[in-house]
């Protein structure tokens, strides 16, 4: 019964956000006695309407669970912290789902996955009649490679003090790399980086988006934690290579998102076995890392992207492989990952 109720509560979204009230960590207790159910909610908000809306939604939804005869909702309102803690997630106006792409360390192909996934989801949404409903935000301040991979170099326009994304391949693009020169982040210290990224995130004027892909800085430090807390993320995709040694790093990255209740949608393995002309596979970076990380995290392995020179070259030339060679094995693998991610968001 408790499981059924928890499942029902997961369908209730926090007003104004795409994440549910369970994911936000609001449910403190569920007590069941015969058919009588008490749901204890602990919430900290300045908006008096939010607890009312959540209470009404719980009453309505839980009453429909088979066997439930009576529902009580106990609201524990805690005052918002007086000292400034981590920024509460602010909804990005006009943006429906935000998906972060993360890796425990740099150089594993995170930006490549971000770019390819954004373009692949754009193609899927275009088929649904939404040709410009995907954005990519490059927060990888130490190595902002999204502009290069997406073939753009122009500075974004500023209208009414807000940055206007640059578009290519139907994807709206914004990158820290378009704003700072390549040496700046190196001399910034942690808190400056966090502040710069948070400010950056809140000052982009996206046209309405179904999905915003966020390329996070690599690692498991304060910058990632702060971003994960300040963005209303629908979920995160963890990127790893097939190497066994990479798994521990990927798990450390994932732990950070557990801490802030961001759901992990799945694992993407990249730089996986490279198909050879004779049909055999060459495991340059070993094998099994993605499956192992997915198993340890109890999330799906969304797919494996092979090590592919065309993928690398497309990145360097600014034309993503799913745009340039949509029929290739690599593009098909990426499309399958995109379908699953979109399915999870829309489901
Ligand atoms: P990160 O964002 O994790 O630092 P990148 O996405 O920038 O990593 O990838 C690092 C390098 O590896 C880039 O030159 C990229 O083109 C290349 N690369 C990434 N994934 C693949 C792949 N599956 N096949 C071939 N090259 C790849």
């Amino acid at each position: 019964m408790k499981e059924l109720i928890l499942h029902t509560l997961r369908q209730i979204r926090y007003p104004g956000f795409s994440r549910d009230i369970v994911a936000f960590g609001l449910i403190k207790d569920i007590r069941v006695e015969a058919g009588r159910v008490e749901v204890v909610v602990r919430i900290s908000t300045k908006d008096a309407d939010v607890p009312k809306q959540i209470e009404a939604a719980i009453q309505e939804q839980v009453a429909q669970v088979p066997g439930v005869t009576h529902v009580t909702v106990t609201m524990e309102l805690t005052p918002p912290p007086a000292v400034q803690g981590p920024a509460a997630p602010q909804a990005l106006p006009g943006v429906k789902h935000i998906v972060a792409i993360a890796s425990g360390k740099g150089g594993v192909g995170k930006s490549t996955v971000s770019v390819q996934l954004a373009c692949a989801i754009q193609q899927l949404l275009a088929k649904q009649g939404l040709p410009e409903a995907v954005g990519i935000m490059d927060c990888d301040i130490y190595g902002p490679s999204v502009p290069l991979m997406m073939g753009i170099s122009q500075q974004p326009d500023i209208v009414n003090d807000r940055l206007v994304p640059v578009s290519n391949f139907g994807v709206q693009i914004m990158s820290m790399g378009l704003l700072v020169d390549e040496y700046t982040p190196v001399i910034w210290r942690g808190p400056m980086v966090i502040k710069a990224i948070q400010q950056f995130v809140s000052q982009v004027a996206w046209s309405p988006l179904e999905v915003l892909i966020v390329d996070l800085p690599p690692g498991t430090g304060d910058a990632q934690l702060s971003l994960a807390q300040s963005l209303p993320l629908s979920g995160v995709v963890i990127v790893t290579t097939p190497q066994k040694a990479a798994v521990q790093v990927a798990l450390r990255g994932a732990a950070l998102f557990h801490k802030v209740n961001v759901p992990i949608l799945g694992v993407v393995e990249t730089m996986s076995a490279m198909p050879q002309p004779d049909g055999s596979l060459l495991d340059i970076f070993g094998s099994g890392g993605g499956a192992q990380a997915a198993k340890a995290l109890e999330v799906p392995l969304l797919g494996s992207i092979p090590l592919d020179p065309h993928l690398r070259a497309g990145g360097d030339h600014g034309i993503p492989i799913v745009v340039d060679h949509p029929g290739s094995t690599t593009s098909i693998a990426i499309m399958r990952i995109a379908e699953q991610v979109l399915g999870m968001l829309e489901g």
Side-chain angles (χ1 to χ4, degrees):
M1 178 72 113
K2 266 194 186 178
E3 279 302 307
L4 265 178
I5 292 166
L6 194 63
H7 177 75
T8 305
L9 295 173
R10 283 189 203 280
Q11 317 304 316
I12 301 175
R13 298 198 164 168
Y14 192 100
F17 289 87
S18 59
R19 278 166 67 197
D20 64 86
I21 56 174
V22 178
F24 265 114
L26 261 52
I27 305 302
K28 215 186 123 209
D29 202 3
I30 300 170
R31 297 175 194 134
V32 182
E33 227 185 282
R36 302 177 74 81
V37 176
E38 183 187 3
V39 180
V40 183
V41 179
R42 181 177 286 172
I43 186 165
S44 160
T45 173
K46 285 186 189 143
D47 184 345
D49 274 346
V50 169
K52 284 186 205 149
Q53 286 176 38
I54 292 176
E55 183 173 349
I58 295 175
Q59 283 283 0
E60 191 193 325
Q61 306 272 334
V62 176
Q64 290 172 29
V65 173
V68 172
T69 54
H70 190 266
V71 186
T72 316
V73 182
T74 306
M75 282 284 178
E76 294 183 358
L77 296 172
T78 57
V83 285
Q84 208 179 1
Q90 297 292 319
L92 294 188
V95 180
K96 206 155 159 193
H97 305 289
I98 307 181
V99 176
I101 313 296
S103 65
K105 62 174 183 142
V108 301
K110 173 181 55 58
S111 298
T112 304
V113 170
S114 303
V115 161
Q116 301 293 341
L117 208 54
C119 291
I121 294 177
Q122 186 278 331
Q123 292 180 12
L124 295 172
L125 288 175
K127 284 187 198 146
Q128 297 177 19
L130 296 165
E132 298 203 348
V134 176
I136 182 165
M137 180 155 60
D138 179 10
C139 295
D140 187 350
I141 192 161
Y142 297 110
S145 40
V146 169
L148 177 73
M149 292 178 177
M150 290 295 283
I152 56 162
S153 55
Q154 66 266 49
Q155 292 268 319
D157 287 335
I158 296 178
V159 175
N160 296 334
D161 285 339
R162 304 190 77 205
L163 296 155
V164 180
V166 180
S167 280
N168 208 4
F169 314 114
V171 176
Q172 298 176 42
I173 306 151
M174 185 50 65
S175 170
M176 291 289 279
L178 297 172
L179 307 174
V180 294
D181 75 59
E182 59 186 310
Y183 302 108
T184 304
V186 184
I187 56 168
W188 281 357
R189 289 209 314 255
M192 284 174 83
V193 172
I194 294 167
K195 201 155 174 256
I197 296 177
Q198 281 178 344
Q199 200 174 9
F200 167 63
V201 165
S202 64
Q203 286 180 351
V204 184
W206 302 102
S207 296
L209 291 179
E210 283 292 302
V211 182
L212 176 63
I213 299 287
V214 180
D215 185 1
L216 287 184
T220 55
D222 287 347
Q224 294 76 9
L225 187 65
S226 149
L227 264 175
Q229 282 173 312
S230 60
L231 281 173
L233 295 173
S234 304
V236 57
V237 170
I238 305 288
V239 178
T240 182
T241 64
Q243 258 171 307
K244 297 279 186 285
V247 175
Q248 284 312 318
V249 182
L251 298 185
R252 264 208 306 281
L256 183 131
F257 294 96
H258 274 311
K259 219 187 279 177
V260 289
N261 282 319
V262 173
I264 296 170
L265 302 180
V267 171
V268 168
E269 183 184 275
T270 186
M271 307 195 184
S272 310
M274 183 155 96
Q276 299 299 290
D278 66 1
S280 64
L281 292 171
L282 185 59
D283 286 342
I284 293 181
F285 289 114
S287 66
Q292 213 177 322
K295 192 167 169 224
L297 293 168
E298 298 178 2
V299 297
L301 174 64
L302 298 168
S304 300
I305 303 172
L307 197 62
D308 181 346
H310 292 111
L311 179 62
R312 201 264 317 135
D316 290 350
H317 297 137
I319 309 177
I321 195 167
V322 291
V323 173
D324 212 16
H325 297 285
S328 65
T329 312
T330 300
S331 294
I332 291 167
I334 294 165
M335 287 309 292
R336 291 224 174 97
I337 297 167
E339 281 161 10
Q340 290 174 74
V341 170
L342 194 57
M344 285 175 180
L345 298 176
E346 289 177 339

